[in-house]
Amino acid sequence: MLGVIDLPTYLAGLVLIVLLPGPNSLYVLSVAARKGIRTGYTAAAGVWCGDTVLMTLSAAGVASLLQANAVLFGIVKYAGAGYLTWLAFGMLRAAWGMWRTRHERAEENEAAAAPAAEERPFRRALVISLFNPKAILFFVAFFVQFVDPGYAYPALSFVVLGAFAQLASFLYLTALIFSGTRLAAAFRRRKRLSAGATTAAGALFLGFAVKLTLASA
């Protein structure tokens, strides 16, 4: 089918990969929980655009360049880790504010409104996606296994594989967004739960940063 081989195996592997938690899905979930469905989809659009760019770069051979150039890989890797760390500390700082003011509704509402004006979910999700060199390498390592080397138009094969990947991502992030809005209702009722969840999200982002820092090309 258009130069794609063993499609059922690809789809099975794709589902498993999409379901693995990562900074992209965690960020979309947190945005939806804090700001609702529309903003959740805005963040998801940033993820989809970032993934599209990574797939295009992978098909163009940029992943091979990163793999061969340790200095370039290191620059991208540490830039990505630094950005994730910055996000993590922002979440932890917000969680600390929630813990301190959890009994003061007016102060909580004021604290929640301040970051809302500054945050740009699409741009933030896009940057999270792009600053992940391991994702570029993954797309190449996974995609090329299902492209027929004898097919005359390999770019078309990458388009087909990428379309399936984006569809799986759309379905998964949609489920997270609607789950996030349900969580939001619980967070509004229980400020301690909201602070705890924000703390956990910040800790996970720190973990993602450390994992990326230790990654090798």
Side-chain angles (χ1 to χ4, degrees):
M1 173 183 155
L2 300 177
V4 177
I5 57 177
D6 205 0
L7 183 59
T9 301
Y10 169 75
L11 295 177
L14 182 63
V15 169
L16 294 176
I17 290 163
V18 167
L19 291 177
L20 288 174
N24 294 346
S25 57
L26 178 62
Y27 179 68
V28 171
L29 177 62
S30 69
V31 166
R34 288 182 287 114
K35 300 183 179 180
I37 292 175
R38 177 176 296 183
T39 310
Y41 272 111
T42 300
V47 173
W48 297 325
C49 288
D51 286 348
T52 299
V53 171
L54 293 184
M55 292 176 198
T56 302
L57 293 176
S58 297
V62 173
S64 299
L65 176 62
L66 280 176
Q67 211 163 14
N69 191 321
V71 174
L72 181 60
F73 180 85
I75 291 173
V76 177
K77 178 177 72 172
Y78 288 115
Y83 187 70
L84 291 178
T85 301
W86 178 73
L87 289 180
F89 278 108
M91 291 179 176
L92 293 173
R93 191 166 54 247
W96 175 244
M98 292 177 192
W99 282 113
R100 293 182 58 188
T101 63
R102 61 186 181 278
H103 298 304
E104 302 171 19
R105 185 172 299 275
E107 289 184 22
E108 287 169 352
N109 292 338
E110 184 178 333
E118 301 171 2
E119 188 172 5
R120 295 178 175 85
F122 177 86
R123 188 175 69 179
R124 182 164 291 186
L126 178 65
V127 174
I128 291 173
S129 296
L130 293 178
F131 274 156
N132 190 351
K134 297 304 292 183
I136 304 177
L137 300 179
F138 158 76
F139 278 125
V140 156
F142 187 62
F143 276 21
V144 295
Q145 299 178 48
F146 302 95
V147 175
D148 183 356
Y151 188 63
Y153 306 102
L156 185 57
S157 303
F158 274 94
V159 170
V160 173
L161 294 173
F164 278 116
Q166 293 288 48
L167 176 61
S169 177
F170 173 80
L171 295 175
Y172 179 56
L173 292 182
T174 293
L176 290 182
I177 288 168
F178 282 93
S179 298
T181 57
R182 292 190 182 92
L183 288 174
F187 289 164
R188 281 192 292 269
R189 292 193 302 269
R190 302 178 181 179
K191 298 301 180 181
R192 189 170 296 181
L193 175 63
S194 179
T198 304
T199 301
L204 282 173
F205 267 81
L206 273 180
F208 291 136
V210 171
K211 183 179 179 181
L212 183 56
T213 301
L214 298 176
S216 58

